[in-house]
Amino acid sequence: GAVVSQHPSRVICKSGTSVKIECRSLDFQATTMFWYRQFPKQSLMLMATSNEGSKATYEQGVEKDKFLINHASLTLSTLTVTSAHPEDSSFYICSARVPPLPYEQYFGPGTRLTVT
Amino acid sequence: KQEVTQIPAALSVPEGENLVLNCSFTDSAIYNLQWFRQDPGKGLTSLLLIQSSQREQTSGRLNASLDKSSGRSTLYIAASQPGDSATYLCAAVLMDSNYQLIWGAGTKLIIKP
């Protein structure tokens, strides 16, 4: 199956700093990627849909200026958490939609962000 | 609004048993339904995808069924093993949602040796 990687797998940063998380599709081109956030013992929450070459579409309640998403190529999308605070600590997972239909989604291994 | 529900929230069974995980959805206008596995602290692994025109899909010891009319999908695991212990998530793709996944809360499965 299709492989999606994320980097880094874990990151610890200080409050007020910014952190960038990369999501790559390794063996296919992904025009659409998704960014999710997962709190402990909860299901995934969709944050935004990332489309190559255009602005991301954010879900209601997700701050666009805080969670910057860039999808500059068909194999790479990045999520930057700006001015991170402890409440941003979470597990962030990306996925890539594999064309053509039925558009199965493949997921990255996730990034554990801890803000101290 | 499409809602996806998974029952039970947690399940513990002895090794070797066959088991069924349930997933229900409120809107029958789905495009497909996917089952995923998530190990603690890890990402998701896609297990099976059933398109709306299909009734079931099989992969090894796993069999997933789809009944759109009743709004239900089941994941059947045969001859369970301790390595099957994980959280199992189902997600439905709506026809009019830009193919976004609508998630269930998951079933945490523990297989006791």
Side-chain angles (χ1 to χ4, degrees):
Chain A
V3 179
V4 176
S5 70
Q6 274 185 250
H7 178 80
S9 57
R10 290 178 177 271
V11 58
I12 301 173
C13 70
K14 293 185 177 181
S15 187
T17 62
S18 296
V19 174
K20 179 183 285 187
I21 302 170
E22 293 185 347
C23 177
R24 294 182 183 272
S25 56
L26 298 185
D27 50 1
F28 65 99
Q29 293 182 331
T31 55
T32 302
M33 292 183 172
F34 301 91
W35 286 96
Y36 295 86
R37 183 173 182 175
Q38 187 178 32
F39 292 102
K41 299 184 179 181
Q42 295 187 24
S43 191
L44 281 72
M45 181 193 78
L46 179 65
M47 299 175 65
T49 302
S50 171
N51 294 298
E52 187 269 336
S54 63
K55 291 183 178 180
T57 302
Y58 290 82
E59 295 300 301
Q60 190 173 8
V62 178
E63 298 177 59
K64 301 178 182 180
D65 295 332
K66 181 166 190 60
F67 299 100
L68 301 179
I69 291 173
N70 183 278
H71 195 157
S73 77
L74 288 171
T75 60
L76 174 64
S77 176
T78 61
L79 168 68
T80 301
V81 183
T82 63
S83 187
H85 290 106
E87 56 264 32
D88 298 325
S89 299
S90 189
F91 193 55
Y92 293 88
I93 305 176
C94 73
S95 72
R97 196 163 69 191
V98 180
L101 294 171
Y103 287 148
E104 188 167 358
Q105 283 193 34
Y106 288 89
F107 286 76
T111 296
R112 173 73 60 191
L113 170 63
T114 303
V115 184
T116 61
Chain B
K1 178 184 176 183
Q2 176 73 285
E3 293 183 358
V4 178
T5 305
Q6 290 187 247
I7 295 174
L11 180 64
S12 179
V13 300
E15 179 179 4
E17 284 198 4
N18 304 324
L19 58 98
V20 175
L21 306 181
N22 297 294
C23 174
S24 62
F25 45 93
T26 53
D27 187 344
S28 62
I30 65 170
Y31 187 73
N32 65 43
L33 188 138
Q34 278 188 259
W35 282 92
F36 297 89
R37 168 186 173 141
Q38 186 176 30
D39 293 286
K42 304 293 184 182
L44 278 73
T45 300
S46 178
L47 297 174
L48 290 164
L49 180 149
I50 311 175
Q51 297 185 58
S52 62
S53 58
Q54 299 173 324
R55 295 296 299 266
E56 66 179 337
Q57 283 287 328
T58 298
S59 176
R61 295 182 293 108
L62 305 179
N63 176 277
S65 67
L66 176 65
D67 184 341
K68 287 177 55 180
S69 62
S70 66
R72 291 185 60 191
S73 177
T74 61
L75 179 66
Y76 175 82
I77 302 177
S80 58
Q81 303 171 358
D84 295 330
S85 298
T87 295
Y88 290 80
L89 295 153
C90 72
V93 175
L94 299 182
M95 290 183 177
D96 59 354
S97 68
N98 192 28
Y99 303 102
Q100 289 181 11
L101 293 170
I102 310 298
W103 294 90
T107 295
K108 183 176 182 179
L109 176 64
I110 297 175
I111 306 299
K112 297 175 289 186

